[in-house]
Coordinates of all heavy atoms in Angstrom, one line a residue:
M30 N -19.1 -13.9 -6.4 CA -19.1 -12.7 -5.6 C -17.8 -12.6 -4.9 O -17.2 -11.5 -4.8 CB -20.3 -12.7 -4.7 CG -20.4 -11.5 -3.9 SD -21.0 -10.2 -4.8 CE -22.5 -9.8 -3.8
F31 N -17.3 -13.7 -4.3 CA -16.0 -13.6 -3.5 C -14.9 -13.2 -4.4 O -14.0 -12.4 -4.0 CB -15.8 -15.0 -2.9 CG -14.4 -15.1 -2.3 CD1 -14.1 -14.5 -1.1 CD2 -13.4 -15.8 -3.0 CE1 -12.8 -14.6 -0.6 CE2 -12.1 -15.9 -2.4 CZ -11.8 -15.3 -1.2
E32 N -14.9 -13.7 -5.6 CA -13.8 -13.4 -6.6 C -13.7 -11.9 -6.9 O -12.7 -11.3 -7.0 CB -13.9 -14.2 -7.8 CG -13.7 -15.7 -7.6 CD -13.9 -16.5 -8.9 OE1 -14.1 -15.9 -10.0 OE2 -13.9 -17.7 -8.8
T33 N -14.9 -11.4 -7.1 CA -15.0 -9.9 -7.4 C -14.5 -9.1 -6.3 O -13.7 -8.2 -6.5 CB -16.4 -9.5 -7.8 OG1 -16.9 -10.4 -8.9 CG2 -16.5 -8.1 -8.2
I34 N -15.0 -9.4 -5.1 CA -14.6 -8.6 -3.9 C -13.1 -8.7 -3.7 O -12.4 -7.7 -3.4 CB -15.4 -9.1 -2.7 CG1 -16.8 -8.7 -2.9 CG2 -14.8 -8.4 -1.4 CD1 -17.7 -9.3 -1.8
S35 N -12.5 -10.0 -3.8 CA -11.1 -10.2 -3.6 C -10.2 -9.4 -4.6 O -9.2 -8.8 -4.2 CB -10.8 -11.7 -3.6 OG -11.5 -12.3 -2.6
S36 N -10.6 -9.5 -5.8 CA -9.8 -8.8 -6.9 C -9.9 -7.3 -6.7 O -8.9 -6.6 -7.0 CB -10.2 -9.2 -8.3 OG -11.6 -8.8 -8.5
R37 N -11.0 -6.8 -6.2 CA -11.2 -5.4 -6.0 C -10.4 -4.9 -4.8 O -10.1 -3.7 -4.6 CB -12.7 -5.0 -5.8 CG -13.6 -5.3 -6.9 CD -13.3 -4.4 -8.1 NE -14.4 -4.4 -9.1 CZ -14.4 -5.3 -10.1 NH1 -13.6 -6.3 -10.2 NH2 -15.4 -5.2 -11.0
M38 N -10.0 -5.8 -4.0 CA -9.1 -5.5 -2.8 C -7.7 -5.6 -3.1 O -6.8 -4.9 -2.6 CB -9.5 -6.4 -1.6 CG -10.8 -6.1 -1.0 SD -11.4 -7.2 0.2 CE -10.0 -7.3 1.3
I39 N -7.3 -6.6 -3.9 CA -5.9 -6.9 -4.2 C -5.3 -5.8 -5.0 O -4.2 -5.3 -4.7 CB -5.7 -8.2 -5.0 CG1 -6.1 -9.4 -4.1 CG2 -4.3 -8.4 -5.5 CD1 -6.2 -10.7 -4.9
I40 N -6.0 -5.3 -6.1 CA -5.4 -4.3 -7.0 C -5.2 -3.0 -6.2 O -4.0 -2.4 -6.2 CB -6.3 -4.1 -8.2 CG1 -6.4 -5.3 -9.0 CG2 -5.8 -2.9 -9.0 CD1 -7.5 -5.3 -10.1
P41 N -6.2 -2.4 -5.5 CA -5.9 -1.1 -4.8 C -4.8 -1.3 -3.7 O -4.1 -0.3 -3.5 CB -7.2 -0.7 -4.3 CG -8.2 -1.4 -5.0 CD -7.6 -2.7 -5.4
F42 N -4.9 -2.4 -3.0 CA -3.9 -2.6 -2.0 C -2.5 -2.5 -2.5 O -1.6 -1.8 -1.9 CB -4.1 -3.9 -1.3 CG -3.2 -4.2 -0.1 CD1 -3.5 -3.7 1.1 CD2 -2.0 -5.0 -0.3 CE1 -2.6 -3.9 2.2 CE2 -1.2 -5.2 0.8 CZ -1.5 -4.7 2.0
C43 N -2.2 -3.2 -3.6 CA -0.8 -3.1 -4.2 C -0.5 -1.7 -4.7 O 0.6 -1.3 -4.4 CB -0.7 -4.1 -5.3 SG -0.9 -5.8 -4.8
V44 N -1.4 -1.1 -5.3 CA -1.1 0.2 -5.9 C -1.0 1.3 -4.8 O -0.2 2.2 -4.9 CB -2.2 0.6 -6.9 CG1 -2.1 2.0 -7.4 CG2 -2.2 -0.4 -8.1
M45 N -1.8 1.2 -3.7 CA -1.7 2.2 -2.7 C -0.5 2.0 -1.8 O 0.1 3.0 -1.3 CB -3.0 2.2 -1.9 CG -4.1 2.8 -2.6 SD -5.8 2.7 -1.8 CE -5.5 2.5 -0.2
F46 N -0.1 0.8 -1.5 CA 0.9 0.6 -0.5 C 2.3 0.2 -1.1 O 3.3 0.5 -0.5 CB 0.5 -0.5 0.5 CG -0.6 -0.1 1.3 CD1 -1.9 -0.7 1.2 CD2 -0.5 1.0 2.2 CE1 -2.9 -0.3 2.0 CE2 -1.6 1.4 3.0 CZ -2.8 0.7 2.9
G47 N 2.3 -0.3 -2.3 CA 3.6 -0.7 -3.0 C 4.5 0.5 -3.2 O 5.7 0.5 -2.7
P48 N 4.0 1.5 -3.9 CA 4.9 2.7 -4.1 C 5.3 3.4 -2.8 O 6.5 3.9 -2.7 CB 4.1 3.7 -4.9 CG 3.1 2.8 -5.6 CD 2.8 1.7 -4.7
V49 N 4.4 3.4 -1.8 CA 4.8 4.1 -0.5 C 5.9 3.4 0.2 O 6.8 4.0 0.7 CB 3.5 4.2 0.4 CG1 3.9 4.7 1.7 CG2 2.4 5.0 -0.3
I50 N 5.8 2.1 0.2 CA 6.9 1.3 0.8 C 8.2 1.4 0.1 O 9.3 1.6 0.7 CB 6.5 -0.2 0.9 CG1 5.3 -0.4 1.9 CG2 7.6 -1.1 1.3 CD1 4.6 -1.7 1.8
I51 N 8.2 1.4 -1.2 CA 9.4 1.5 -2.0 C 10.0 2.9 -1.9 O 11.2 3.1 -1.7 CB 9.1 1.2 -3.5 CG1 8.7 -0.3 -3.7 CG2 10.3 1.5 -4.4 CD1 8.2 -0.7 -5.0
L52 N 9.1 4.0 -1.9 CA 9.6 5.3 -1.7 C 10.2 5.5 -0.3 O 11.2 6.3 -0.2 CB 8.5 6.3 -2.0 CG 8.1 6.5 -3.5 CD1 6.9 7.4 -3.6 CD2 9.3 7.1 -4.3
A53 N 9.6 5.0 0.7 CA 10.1 5.1 2.0 C 11.5 4.4 2.1 O 12.4 5.0 2.8 CB 9.2 4.5 3.0
A54 N 11.7 3.3 1.5 CA 13.0 2.6 1.5 C 14.0 3.4 0.7 O 15.2 3.5 1.2 CB 12.8 1.2 0.9
L55 N 13.6 4.0 -0.4 CA 14.6 4.8 -1.1 C 15.0 6.1 -0.4 O 16.1 6.5 -0.4 CB 14.0 5.2 -2.5 CG 13.8 4.1 -3.5 CD1 13.1 4.6 -4.8 CD2 15.2 3.6 -3.9
T56 N 14.0 6.7 0.3 CA 14.3 7.9 1.1 C 15.2 7.6 2.3 O 16.1 8.4 2.6 CB 12.9 8.5 1.6 OG1 12.1 8.8 0.5 CG2 13.2 9.8 2.3
S57 N 14.9 6.5 2.9 CA 15.7 6.2 4.1 C 17.2 5.8 3.7 O 18.1 6.0 4.5 CB 15.1 5.0 4.9 OG 15.2 3.8 4.1
R58 N 17.4 5.4 2.5 CA 18.8 5.1 2.0 C 19.4 6.3 1.3 O 20.5 6.2 0.8 CB 18.7 3.9 1.1 CG 18.4 2.6 1.9 CD 18.6 1.4 0.9 NE 18.4 0.2 1.7 CZ 17.3 -0.5 1.9 NH1 16.1 0.0 1.4 NH2 17.2 -1.6 2.5
G59 N 18.6 7.4 1.2 CA 19.2 8.6 0.5 C 19.3 8.4 -1.0 O 20.1 9.1 -1.6
L60 N 18.5 7.6 -1.6 CA 18.5 7.4 -3.0 C 17.5 8.1 -3.8 O 17.3 7.9 -5.0 CB 18.4 5.9 -3.3 CG 19.4 5.0 -2.7 CD1 19.1 3.5 -2.9 CD2 20.8 5.3 -3.3
M61 N 16.7 9.0 -3.2 CA 15.7 9.8 -3.9 C 16.4 10.9 -4.7 O 17.3 11.5 -4.3 CB 14.7 10.5 -2.9 CG 13.7 9.5 -2.3 SD 12.6 8.8 -3.5 CE 11.6 10.2 -3.8
P62 N 15.9 11.1 -5.9 CA 16.5 12.1 -6.8 C 16.2 13.5 -6.2 O 15.2 13.8 -5.5 CB 15.8 12.0 -8.1 CG 14.7 11.0 -7.9 CD 14.9 10.4 -6.6
A63 N 17.1 14.5 -6.4 CA 17.0 15.8 -5.9 C 16.0 16.7 -6.7 O 15.4 17.5 -6.2 CB 18.4 16.5 -5.8
S64 N 15.9 16.4 -8.0 CA 15.1 17.2 -8.8 C 13.6 16.8 -8.6 O 13.2 15.6 -8.4 CB 15.4 16.9 -10.3 OG 14.4 17.3 -11.2
K65 N 12.7 17.8 -8.6 CA 11.3 17.6 -8.4 C 10.7 16.8 -9.5 O 9.8 16.0 -9.4 CB 10.6 18.9 -8.2 CG 10.8 19.5 -6.9 CD 9.9 20.8 -6.7 CE 10.1 21.4 -5.3 NZ 9.3 22.5 -5.1
F66 N 11.2 17.1 -10.7 CA 10.7 16.4 -11.9 C 11.1 14.9 -11.9 O 10.3 14.1 -12.2 CB 11.3 17.1 -13.2 CG 10.9 16.3 -14.5 CD1 9.6 16.5 -15.0 CD2 11.8 15.5 -15.1 CE1 9.2 15.8 -16.1 CE2 11.4 14.8 -16.3 CZ 10.1 15.0 -16.8
A67 N 12.3 14.6 -11.5 CA 12.8 13.3 -11.4 C 12.0 12.5 -10.3 O 11.7 11.3 -10.5 CB 14.3 13.2 -11.2
C68 N 11.8 13.2 -9.2 CA 11.0 12.6 -8.1 C 9.6 12.3 -8.6 O 9.1 11.2 -8.3 CB 11.0 13.5 -6.9 SG 10.4 12.8 -5.4
A69 N 8.9 13.2 -9.3 CA 7.6 13.0 -9.7 C 7.6 11.8 -10.8 O 6.7 11.0 -10.8 CB 7.0 14.2 -10.3
L70 N 8.6 11.8 -11.6 CA 8.7 10.7 -12.6 C 8.8 9.4 -12.0 O 8.2 8.4 -12.4 CB 9.8 11.0 -13.6 CG 10.0 10.1 -14.8 CD1 8.8 10.2 -15.7 CD2 11.2 10.4 -15.6
L71 N 9.6 9.3 -10.9 CA 9.8 8.1 -10.2 C 8.5 7.6 -9.5 O 8.2 6.5 -9.6 CB 10.9 8.3 -9.1 CG 11.2 7.1 -8.2 CD1 11.7 5.9 -9.0 CD2 12.1 7.5 -7.1
E72 N 7.8 8.6 -8.9 CA 6.5 8.2 -8.3 C 5.5 7.7 -9.3 O 4.8 6.7 -9.0 CB 6.0 9.4 -7.5 CG 6.8 9.8 -6.3 CD 6.3 11.1 -5.7 OE1 5.3 11.7 -6.2 OE2 6.9 11.5 -4.7
V73 N 5.4 8.3 -10.4 CA 4.5 7.9 -11.4 C 4.9 6.5 -12.0 O 4.1 5.6 -12.2 CB 4.3 8.9 -12.6 CG1 3.6 8.4 -13.8 CG2 3.7 10.2 -12.1
S74 N 6.2 6.4 -12.2 CA 6.7 5.1 -12.7 C 6.4 3.9 -11.7 O 6.0 2.8 -12.1 CB 8.2 5.2 -12.9 OG 8.5 6.1 -13.9
L75 N 6.6 4.2 -10.4 CA 6.3 3.2 -9.4 C 4.8 2.9 -9.3 O 4.4 1.7 -9.2 CB 6.8 3.7 -8.0 CG 8.3 3.6 -7.7 CD1 8.6 4.3 -6.4 CD2 8.8 2.2 -7.8
C76 N 4.0 3.9 -9.4 CA 2.5 3.6 -9.4 C 2.1 2.8 -10.7 O 1.4 1.8 -10.6 CB 1.7 4.9 -9.4 SG 1.8 5.7 -7.8
S77 N 2.6 3.1 -11.8 CA 2.4 2.4 -13.0 C 2.9 1.0 -13.0 O 2.2 0.0 -13.4 CB 2.9 3.1 -14.2 OG 2.4 4.4 -14.4
G78 N 4.1 0.9 -12.5 CA 4.7 -0.5 -12.4 C 4.0 -1.4 -11.4 O 3.8 -2.6 -11.7
T79 N 3.5 -0.9 -10.3 CA 2.8 -1.7 -9.4 C 1.4 -2.1 -10.0 O 0.9 -3.2 -9.7 CB 2.6 -1.1 -8.0 OG1 2.0 0.2 -8.2 CG2 3.9 -1.0 -7.3
L80 N 0.8 -1.2 -10.7 CA -0.4 -1.5 -11.4 C -0.2 -2.6 -12.4 O -1.0 -3.5 -12.6 CB -1.1 -0.3 -12.0 CG -2.5 -0.4 -12.6 CD1 -3.4 -0.9 -11.5 CD2 -2.9 0.9 -13.1
L81 N 0.9 -2.5 -13.2 CA 1.2 -3.5 -14.2 C 1.4 -4.9 -13.6 O 1.2 -5.9 -14.2 CB 2.4 -3.1 -15.0 CG 2.1 -1.9 -16.1 CD1 3.4 -1.5 -16.7 CD2 1.2 -2.4 -17.1
V82 N 2.0 -4.9 -12.4 CA 2.2 -6.2 -11.7 C 1.0 -6.7 -11.0 O 0.7 -7.9 -11.1 CB 3.4 -6.0 -10.7 CG1 3.6 -7.2 -9.9 CG2 4.7 -5.7 -11.5
S83 N 0.3 -5.8 -10.3 CA -0.8 -6.2 -9.5 C -2.1 -6.7 -10.3 O -2.8 -7.6 -9.8 CB -1.2 -5.2 -8.5 OG -1.7 -4.0 -9.1
L84 N -2.3 -6.0 -11.4 CA -3.5 -6.4 -12.2 C -3.4 -7.8 -12.7 O -4.4 -8.6 -12.5 CB -3.7 -5.4 -13.3 CG -4.9 -5.6 -14.2 CD1 -6.2 -5.5 -13.3 CD2 -5.0 -4.6 -15.3
P85 N -2.3 -8.3 -13.3 CA -2.3 -9.7 -13.7 C -2.3 -10.7 -12.5 O -2.9 -11.7 -12.6 CB -0.9 -9.8 -14.4 CG -0.6 -8.5 -14.9 CD -1.2 -7.5 -13.9
L86 N -1.7 -10.3 -11.4 CA -1.8 -11.1 -10.2 C -3.2 -11.3 -9.7 O -3.6 -12.3 -9.3 CB -0.9 -10.6 -9.1 CG 0.6 -10.7 -9.4 CD1 1.4 -10.0 -8.2 CD2 1.0 -12.1 -9.5
A87 N -4.0 -10.2 -9.7 CA -5.3 -10.2 -9.2 C -6.2 -11.1 -10.2 O -7.1 -11.8 -9.7 CB -5.9 -8.8 -9.1
I88 N -5.9 -11.0 -11.4 CA -6.7 -11.8 -12.4 C -6.3 -13.3 -12.3 O -7.2 -14.1 -12.4 CB -6.5 -11.3 -13.8 CG1 -7.1 -9.9 -14.0 CG2 -7.0 -12.2 -14.9 CD1 -6.8 -9.2 -15.3
A89 N -5.0 -13.5 -12.1 CA -4.5 -14.9 -12.1 C -4.8 -15.6 -10.8 O -4.7 -16.8 -10.7 CB -3.0 -14.9 -12.3
A90 N -5.3 -14.9 -9.8 CA -5.6 -15.5 -8.5 C -6.8 -16.4 -8.6 O -7.0 -17.2 -7.6 CB -5.8 -14.4 -7.4
F91 N -7.6 -16.3 -9.6 CA -8.8 -17.1 -9.7 C -8.8 -17.9 -11.0 O -8.2 -17.5 -12.0 CB -10.0 -16.2 -9.7 CG -10.0 -15.3 -8.5 CD1 -9.6 -14.0 -8.6 CD2 -10.3 -15.8 -7.2 CE1 -9.6 -13.1 -7.5 CE2 -10.2 -15.0 -6.1 CZ -9.9 -13.7 -6.3
P92 N -9.5 -19.0 -11.1 CA -9.5 -19.9 -12.3 C -10.2 -19.1 -13.5 O -11.1 -18.3 -13.4 CB -10.4 -21.1 -11.9 CG -11.1 -20.7 -10.7 CD -10.4 -19.6 -10.0
Q93 N -9.7 -19.5 -14.7 CA -10.1 -18.8 -15.9 C -11.5 -19.4 -16.3 O -12.3 -18.7 -16.9 CB -9.1 -19.0 -17.0 CG -9.5 -18.3 -18.3 CD -8.4 -18.4 -19.3 OE1 -7.4 -19.0 -19.1 NE2 -8.6 -17.8 -20.5
K94 N -11.7 -20.7 -16.0 CA -13.0 -21.3 -16.4 C -13.9 -21.5 -15.2 O -13.4 -21.7 -14.1 CB -12.8 -22.7 -17.0 CG -12.0 -22.6 -18.4 CD -11.9 -23.9 -19.0 CE -11.1 -23.7 -20.4 NZ -10.9 -24.9 -21.1
S95 N -15.2 -21.3 -15.4 CA -16.1 -21.3 -14.2 C -17.4 -22.0 -14.6 O -17.6 -22.2 -15.8 CB -16.3 -19.9 -13.7 OG -17.1 -20.0 -12.5
T96 N -18.3 -22.2 -13.6 CA -19.6 -22.8 -13.9 C -20.6 -21.9 -13.3 O -20.4 -21.2 -12.3 CB -19.7 -24.2 -13.3 OG1 -19.6 -24.1 -11.9 CG2 -18.7 -25.2 -13.9
I97 N -21.8 -22.0 -13.8 CA -23.0 -21.3 -13.3 C -24.2 -22.1 -13.4 O -24.4 -22.9 -14.4 CB -23.1 -19.9 -14.0 CG1 -24.1 -19.0 -13.2 CG2 -23.5 -20.1 -15.4 CD1 -24.1 -17.6 -13.7
S98 N -25.1 -22.1 -12.4 CA -26.3 -22.8 -12.4 C -27.3 -22.2 -13.4 O -27.3 -21.0 -13.6 CB -26.9 -22.8 -11.0 OG -28.2 -23.4 -11.0
H99 N -28.2 -23.0 -13.9 CA -29.1 -22.5 -14.9 C -30.1 -21.6 -14.2 O -30.8 -20.8 -14.9 CB -29.9 -23.7 -15.6 CG -30.8 -24.4 -14.6 ND1 -32.1 -24.1 -14.5 CD2 -30.6 -25.5 -13.8 CE1 -32.7 -24.9 -13.6 NE2 -31.8 -25.8 -13.2
N100 N -30.3 -21.6 -12.9 CA -31.2 -20.8 -12.2 C -30.8 -19.3 -12.2 O -31.6 -18.4 -12.1 CB -31.4 -21.2 -10.8 CG -32.0 -22.6 -10.7 OD1 -32.7 -23.0 -11.5 ND2 -31.7 -23.3 -9.6
K101 N -29.5 -19.1 -12.4 CA -28.9 -17.7 -12.3 C -28.8 -17.0 -13.6 O -28.4 -15.9 -13.7 CB -27.5 -17.8 -11.7 CG -27.5 -18.3 -10.2 CD -26.2 -18.3 -9.6 CE -26.2 -18.7 -8.2 NZ -24.9 -18.7 -7.6
L102 N -29.3 -17.7 -14.7 CA -29.2 -17.2 -16.0 C -30.6 -16.6 -16.5 O -31.6 -16.8 -15.9 CB -28.8 -18.2 -17.0 CG -27.4 -18.8 -16.8 CD1 -27.1 -20.0 -17.7 CD2 -26.3 -17.7 -17.0
E103 N -30.5 -15.9 -17.6 CA -31.8 -15.4 -18.2 C -32.6 -16.5 -18.6 O -32.2 -17.7 -18.8 CB -31.4 -14.5 -19.4 CG -30.7 -13.2 -19.0 CD -29.2 -13.4 -19.0 OE1 -28.7 -14.5 -19.3 OE2 -28.5 -12.4 -18.7
K104 N -33.9 -16.3 -18.8 CA -34.9 -17.3 -19.2 C -34.5 -18.0 -20.5 O -34.7 -19.2 -20.7 CB -36.3 -16.8 -19.2 CG -36.8 -16.4 -17.9 CD -38.3 -16.0 -17.9 CE -38.8 -15.7 -16.5 NZ -40.2 -15.3 -16.5
E105 N -34.0 -17.3 -21.4 CA -33.7 -17.9 -22.7 C -32.5 -18.9 -22.6 O -32.5 -19.8 -23.4 CB -33.3 -16.8 -23.7 CG -32.0 -16.0 -23.4 CD -31.7 -14.9 -24.3 OE1 -32.3 -13.8 -24.1 OE2 -30.9 -15.2 -25.3
F106 N -31.7 -18.8 -21.6 CA -30.6 -19.8 -21.4 C -31.0 -20.9 -20.3 O -30.5 -22.0 -20.3 CB -29.3 -19.1 -21.0 CG -28.8 -18.2 -22.1 CD1 -28.8 -16.9 -21.9 CD2 -28.3 -18.8 -23.2 CE1 -28.3 -16.0 -22.9 CE2 -27.8 -18.0 -24.2 CZ -27.8 -16.6 -24.0
S107 N -31.9 -20.5 -19.4 CA -32.2 -21.4 -18.3 C -33.0 -22.6 -18.7 O -33.1 -23.6 -18.0 CB -32.9 -20.7 -17.2 OG -34.1 -20.2 -17.6
N108 N -33.7 -22.6 -19.9 CA -34.5 -23.7 -20.3 C -33.9 -24.4 -21.5 O -34.6 -24.8 -22.5 CB -35.9 -23.2 -20.7 CG -36.6 -22.6 -19.5 OD1 -36.5 -23.2 -18.4 ND2 -37.4 -21.6 -19.6
R109 N -32.6 -24.6 -21.5 CA -31.9 -25.3 -22.6 C -31.8 -26.8 -22.3 O -31.8 -27.2 -21.2 CB -30.5 -24.7 -22.8 CG -30.5 -23.3 -23.2 CD -30.8 -23.2 -24.7 NE -30.9 -21.8 -25.1 CZ -30.3 -21.4 -26.2 NH1 -29.6 -22.2 -27.0 NH2 -30.4 -20.1 -26.5
F110 N -31.8 -27.6 -23.4 CA -31.7 -29.0 -23.3 C -30.5 -29.5 -24.1 O -30.2 -28.9 -25.1 CB -33.0 -29.7 -23.8 CG -34.2 -29.4 -23.0 CD1 -35.0 -28.3 -23.4 CD2 -34.5 -30.1 -21.9 CE1 -36.1 -28.0 -22.6 CE2 -35.6 -29.8 -21.1 CZ -36.4 -28.7 -21.5
D111 N -29.9 -30.6 -23.7 CA -28.7 -31.1 -24.5 C -29.2 -32.0 -25.6 O -30.4 -32.1 -25.8 CB -27.7 -31.8 -23.5 CG -28.3 -33.0 -22.9 OD1 -29.4 -33.4 -23.2 OD2 -27.6 -33.6 -22.0
D112 N -28.3 -32.6 -26.3 CA -28.7 -33.4 -27.5 C -29.5 -34.6 -27.1 O -30.3 -35.1 -27.9 CB -27.4 -33.9 -28.2 CG -26.6 -32.8 -28.8 OD1 -27.3 -31.7 -29.1 OD2 -25.4 -32.9 -29.0
S113 N -29.4 -35.1 -25.9 CA -30.2 -36.3 -25.5 C -31.5 -35.9 -24.9 O -32.3 -36.8 -24.5 CB -29.4 -37.2 -24.5 OG -29.1 -36.4 -23.3
G114 N -31.8 -34.6 -24.8 CA -33.1 -34.2 -24.3 C -33.1 -33.9 -22.8 O -34.2 -33.5 -22.3
K115 N -32.0 -34.0 -22.1 CA -32.0 -33.7 -20.7 C -31.8 -32.2 -20.5 O -31.1 -31.6 -21.3 CB -30.8 -34.5 -20.0 CG -31.0 -35.9 -19.9 CD -29.8 -36.7 -19.4 CE -29.2 -36.0 -18.2 NZ -28.0 -36.8 -17.7
K116 N -32.4 -31.7 -19.5 CA -32.3 -30.2 -19.2 C -30.9 -30.0 -18.7 O -30.3 -30.7 -17.8 CB -33.3 -29.8 -18.1 CG -33.3 -28.3 -17.9 CD -34.5 -27.9 -17.1 CE -34.5 -26.4 -17.0 NZ -35.6 -25.9 -16.2
I117 N -30.3 -28.9 -19.2 CA -28.9 -28.5 -18.8 C -29.0 -27.8 -17.4 O -29.7 -26.8 -17.3 CB -28.2 -27.7 -19.8 CG1 -28.2 -28.4 -21.1 CG2 -26.9 -27.2 -19.3 CD1 -27.6 -27.6 -22.3
E118 N -28.3 -28.4 -16.4 CA -28.4 -27.9 -15.0 C -27.2 -26.9 -14.8 O -27.4 -25.9 -14.1 CB -28.3 -29.0 -14.0 CG -29.4 -30.0 -14.1 CD -30.7 -29.4 -13.7 OE1 -30.7 -28.5 -12.8 OE2 -31.8 -29.8 -14.2
K119 N -26.0 -27.1 -15.4 CA -24.9 -26.2 -15.2 C -24.3 -25.8 -16.5 O -24.3 -26.6 -17.4 CB -23.8 -26.9 -14.4 CG -24.0 -27.0 -12.9 CD -22.8 -27.6 -12.2 CE -23.1 -27.6 -10.7 NZ -21.9 -28.0 -10.0
F120 N -23.9 -24.6 -16.6 CA -23.2 -24.1 -17.8 C -21.8 -23.8 -17.4 O -21.5 -23.3 -16.4 CB -23.9 -22.8 -18.3 CG -25.2 -23.0 -18.9 CD1 -26.4 -23.1 -18.1 CD2 -25.4 -23.2 -20.2 CE1 -27.6 -23.3 -18.7 CE2 -26.6 -23.4 -20.8 CZ -27.8 -23.5 -20.0
Y121 N -20.9 -24.2 -18.3 CA -19.5 -24.0 -18.2 C -19.1 -22.8 -19.1 O -19.5 -22.8 -20.3 CB -18.7 -25.2 -18.5 CG -19.1 -26.4 -17.6 CD1 -20.1 -27.3 -17.9 CD2 -18.5 -26.5 -16.3 CE1 -20.5 -28.3 -17.1 CE2 -18.8 -27.6 -15.5 CZ -19.8 -28.4 -15.9 OH -20.2 -29.4 -15.0
F122 N -18.2 -21.9 -18.7 CA -17.8 -20.8 -19.5 C -16.4 -20.4 -19.2 O -15.9 -20.6 -18.1 CB -18.8 -19.6 -19.3 CG -18.8 -19.0 -18.0 CD1 -18.0 -17.9 -17.7 CD2 -19.6 -19.5 -16.9 CE1 -18.0 -17.4 -16.4 CE2 -19.6 -19.0 -15.7 CZ -18.8 -17.9 -15.4
N123 N -15.8 -19.7 -20.2 CA -14.5 -19.2 -20.1 C -14.6 -17.7 -19.8 O -15.4 -17.0 -20.5 CB -13.7 -19.4 -21.4 CG -12.3 -19.0 -21.3 OD1 -11.9 -18.2 -20.5 ND2 -11.5 -19.5 -22.2
K124 N -14.0 -17.2 -18.8 CA -14.1 -15.8 -18.4 C -13.5 -14.8 -19.4 O -13.6 -13.6 -19.3 CB -13.5 -15.6 -17.0 CG -14.3 -16.3 -16.0 CD -13.7 -16.0 -14.6 CE -14.4 -16.8 -13.5 NZ -13.7 -16.6 -12.2
G125 N -12.7 -15.4 -20.4 CA -12.1 -14.5 -21.4 C -10.9 -13.7 -20.9 O -10.7 -12.7 -21.4
L126 N -10.2 -14.3 -20.0 CA -9.0 -13.6 -19.4 C -7.8 -14.0 -20.3 O -6.8 -13.6 -20.2 CB -8.8 -13.9 -18.0 CG -10.1 -13.7 -17.1 CD1 -9.8 -14.2 -15.7 CD2 -10.4 -12.2 -17.0

């Protein structure tokens, strides 16, 4: 649950504040394009660029492999036994990232 909440905060934070900070820096230095089309293209490019950077960072912030208790699974998986006949208490899985 913590991982989901954290990743849902990292992505929007970068996308909402990254372009604003960069655009403010460009404006203060007088480097903003004069054309409205070029300005809009720059803004869209900054938003896309920060999303391209922040999404992998948000995904990479957490381990790719994880475990889950048998109590949290569906009944068909919670009553599984290993080759030696012992009940499986934890399942290990790859998140597929």
Side-chain angles (χ1 to χ4, degrees):
M30 180 79 120
F31 170 74
E32 294 177 5
T33 304
I34 294 169
S35 299
S36 67
R37 299 291 192 275
M38 289 172 52
I39 293 171
I40 296 168
F42 181 80
C43 294
V44 174
M45 287 176 18
F46 295 113
V49 173
I50 293 169
I51 295 170
L52 287 172
L55 290 174
T56 304
S57 69
R58 291 188 173 90
L60 299 174
M61 284 296 287
S64 166
K65 287 185 179 184
F66 177 76
C68 189
L70 185 63
L71 176 65
E72 290 174 1
V73 170
S74 299
L75 285 173
C76 289
S77 300
T79 54
L80 187 58
L81 285 171
V82 171
S83 66
L84 184 60
L86 289 176
I88 292 172
F91 307 104
Q93 185 174 1
K94 295 183 180 181
S95 188
T96 62
I97 191 167
S98 174
H99 69 92
N100 298 333
K101 296 181 179 181
L102 296 173
E103 293 89 2
K104 288 185 180 183
E105 64 184 85
F106 295 110
S107 63
N108 295 321
R109 294 285 175 132
F110 297 92
D111 64 7
D112 293 337
S113 63
K115 290 174 44 178
K116 188 171 183 176
I117 300 175
E118 299 292 326
K119 284 188 178 183
F120 288 87
Y121 300 90
F122 64 95
N123 185 338
K124 294 180 183 177
L126 307 174

